[in-house]
Amino acid sequence: MARISWTRDELMLACALVVENGWHELRQNDPETLELSDLLRTLPLHSTAAKSDPRFRSPNSVSRKTTDIATAHPDYRGTTTRGGQPTRDVVADFLRYPAEMAAAASAIRSGIASGELHRIKPQPEEAGDDEETTAREGQLLARWAIYRERDRGLRDRKIQQARRRGEVIRCEVCSFDFTHAYGELGTGYVEVHHRLPLHVSGPTETKLDDLAFLCANCHRMCHKSFRGESWRTPDTLRAEMQKASHRRTPHAASDSAS
């Protein structure tokens, strides 16, 4: 079998197991290793051919990966193994964001256990513009979030709620109003975005108040992979826009003075 690189999602699940084990590796016959091997073979991330090979994510390979993770910890004093940069990145994220990373791993497990992540087809934007997912929450949770936000029925119910409340339907980041810009053509058109990511809110049923209205541009920026982040709140994105505006202001003033 050709070597298949570990995805970030797989590394997150393995690292969560190592953390639970006090940052120690797990042996091939440990019950946790056997369970994780079975789980990884079911993830909707690899081809059917890979999953049909008994060597794919075997208990032995899972045990070796937990060794890579354990030896990548900065406090490890023995000989480190060559786990690769993606492994070291995941270890660094678990050390820097322990609660968030543990919650993300738990959310992935919940999505697989419920069957939801098996039902959802891959989404075009889940891997980012460079076709590689570098976001902390991994590819499967990004897939799940994008799928939920594309639920036409959910979006329509959110719009109906806003109309009942007498609220203006416009982007909550840049205030773009489709009806004002395009007239009748733009009436009722807007996209929705979760105010909290799945690894924070948990894989619960989406409530209408959990959703924010966004224009297509701001929505894409909220999900754009950048410096390890692929999910932003409307408030965070608005702050980024304000910072960019402040950086431009001195130049504008200088140009007008000259």
Side-chain angles (χ1 to χ4, degrees):
M1 183 183 70
R3 181 180 180 277
I4 299 176
S5 298
W6 282 63
T7 66
R8 183 171 178 85
D9 299 76
E10 293 173 306
L11 291 171
M12 288 165 57
L13 292 170
C15 194
L17 204 59
V18 173
V19 172
E20 292 173 3
N21 199 42
W23 283 101
H24 297 298
E25 64 184 341
L26 289 97
R27 300 303 182 185
Q28 180 176 343
N29 294 322
D30 287 347
E32 295 84 358
T33 303
L34 299 175
E35 186 274 337
L36 181 57
S37 172
D38 289 339
L39 175 63
L40 296 181
R41 291 175 61 82
T42 70
L43 295 184
L45 290 170
H46 299 291
S47 66
T48 302
K51 296 177 182 180
S52 64
D53 192 310
R55 294 168 294 177
F56 175 70
R57 302 302 183 253
S58 66
N60 180 51
S61 68
V62 171
S63 176
R64 284 190 282 111
K65 180 51 67 178
T66 67
T67 301
D68 293 337
I69 292 169
T71 63
H73 192 287
D75 292 339
Y76 185 78
R77 292 295 175 259
T79 302
T80 61
T81 57
R82 299 176 60 184
Q85 190 59 47
T87 297
R88 292 190 290 272
D89 289 342
V90 167
V91 168
D93 284 339
F94 264 88
L95 291 171
R96 187 176 181 183
Y97 311 101
E100 180 179 330
M101 295 300 292
S106 178
I108 293 172
R109 282 182 171 274
S110 296
I112 294 298
S114 68
E116 190 77 2
L117 282 172
H118 287 293
R119 184 174 65 84
I120 301 171
K121 295 180 179 180
Q123 303 295 307
E125 300 92 343
E126 70 184 41
D129 295 333
D130 59 359
E131 298 302 320
E132 295 182 3
T133 299
T134 56
R136 286 201 300 274
E137 70 269 24
Q139 187 170 343
L140 290 176
L141 292 186
R143 176 183 302 178
W144 200 353
I146 293 169
Y147 174 81
R148 282 187 173 188
E149 291 173 355
R150 284 181 171 168
D151 184 339
R152 181 63 181 267
L154 189 65
R155 184 185 72 92
D156 288 349
R157 291 196 298 275
K158 175 67 176 177
I159 290 174
Q160 292 168 8
Q161 179 195 64
R163 285 173 173 163
R164 288 196 303 270
R165 294 176 173 178
E167 299 170 349
V168 178
I169 299 173
R170 63 187 176 194
C171 179
E172 295 184 26
V173 174
C174 70
S175 299
F176 186 86
D177 185 327
F178 285 89
T179 302
H180 180 76
Y182 301 111
E184 187 176 352
L185 176 64
T187 300
Y189 183 84
V190 72
E191 297 185 8
V192 294
H193 177 67
H194 284 84
R195 298 184 187 277
L196 289 175
L198 286 174
H199 61 273
V200 173
S201 66
T204 58
E205 181 179 356
T206 301
K207 300 178 181 178
L208 296 182
D209 287 336
D210 296 335
L211 300 172
F213 288 134
L214 295 181
C215 68
N217 285 345
C218 289
H219 197 187
R220 186 62 182 267
M221 290 297 100
C222 277
H223 280 291
K224 180 177 173 58
S225 293
F226 184 67
R227 295 177 179 174
E229 300 282 356
S230 77
W231 193 95
R232 296 165 189 84
T233 66
D235 289 343
T236 299
L237 186 61
R238 191 181 307 110
E240 289 292 332
M241 293 181 69
Q242 291 172 349
K243 286 193 296 184
S245 177
H246 291 160
R247 286 194 295 267
R248 290 193 302 267
T249 301
H251 298 288
S254 176
D255 291 342
S256 63
S258 59

